[in-house]
Amino acid sequence: MTPTTGSLYLKPTKVSEGSVTGFICMTGESVECTMAISFTREAMLGIASKMLGEEITELDDEITNLAGEITNMVTGGAKKELWQEGFNFDMTQPEFHLDDWFEPDHIANQQVIVIPFESAEGSFTLEVCMRDTRKKAELTYSA
């Protein structure tokens, strides 16, 4: 699967855009981050069918587990990239939801950036929300 990336945008509502959503929180010494990956029904069924080598037609517990594995892969990759930039995170256990109206519990009062993807299997989005957790005094530069 080789998805194409659409244009980034700020999330206009609290509701995720897919039927299957994985959500995880990452906290570190200087930053807090939440991430959600949300798949349309068609995308999740298509991805699951390819990964499992059989046609999958229903969203069930097996698909929820597979969504969890994908969430772990994505957030693990993000954690590695951020670690290479000097950020160290602890991650919570991911949550998984089969719900067209799921509202990920992103960081309060912070904007959420949405990265849309399209693939032959269907569309999915990655939502990212970050907050600098350093004390204001640490952010002040004195010359």
Side-chain angles (χ1 to χ4, degrees), residues 28-49:
E29 294 175 7
S30 61
V31 70
E32 179 181 11
C33 177
T34 55
M35 295 177 69
I37 185 165
S38 190
F39 299 90
T40 61
R41 175 182 173 79
E42 297 75 23
M44 192 71 244
L45 292 174
I47 292 166
S49 295

Side-chain angles (χ1 to χ4, degrees), residues 1-142:
M1 178 176 95
T2 306
T4 58
T5 307
S7 298
L8 306 176
Y9 59 91
L10 295 177
K11 189 173 181 182
T13 69
K14 292 186 176 208
V15 177
S16 60
E17 296 184 19
S19 299
V20 181
T21 303
F23 179 77
I24 195 163
C25 297
M26 300 187 303
T27 56
E29 294 175 7
S30 61
V31 70
E32 179 181 11
C33 177
T34 55
M35 295 177 69
I37 185 165
S38 190
F39 299 90
T40 61
R41 175 182 173 79
E42 297 75 23
M44 192 71 244
L45 292 174
I47 292 166
S49 295
K50 284 192 172 185
M51 290 181 77
L52 299 174
E54 60 185 83
E55 184 177 358
I56 305 297
T57 59
E58 293 297 321
L59 297 176
D60 57 18
D61 288 342
E62 185 176 20
I63 301 308
T64 302
N65 291 335
L66 183 60
E69 291 303 317
I70 294 169
T71 301
N72 283 331
M73 288 187 282
V74 170
T75 55
K79 181 180 178 181
K80 178 183 174 188
E81 292 291 324
L82 290 167
W83 179 80
Q84 291 173 339
E85 295 295 322
F87 296 99
N88 188 20
F89 287 100
D90 290 322
M91 295 185 346
T92 62
Q93 289 285 19
E95 302 173 15
F96 313 103
H97 302 272
L98 292 174
D99 185 355
D100 288 330
W101 299 103
F102 174 64
E103 293 183 11
D105 190 20
H106 286 294
I107 302 165
N109 302 316
Q110 297 292 310
Q111 293 185 317
V112 178
I113 297 170
V114 179
I115 307 165
F117 295 91
E118 284 293 331
S119 72
E121 291 74 25
S123 62
F124 59 98
T125 59
L126 178 63
E127 300 175 8
V128 180
C129 182
M130 295 182 81
R131 175 176 60 193
D132 189 330
T133 57
R134 294 174 289 181
K135 293 182 176 66
K136 191 171 185 175
E138 294 174 13
L139 298 175
T140 305
Y141 175 77
S142 58

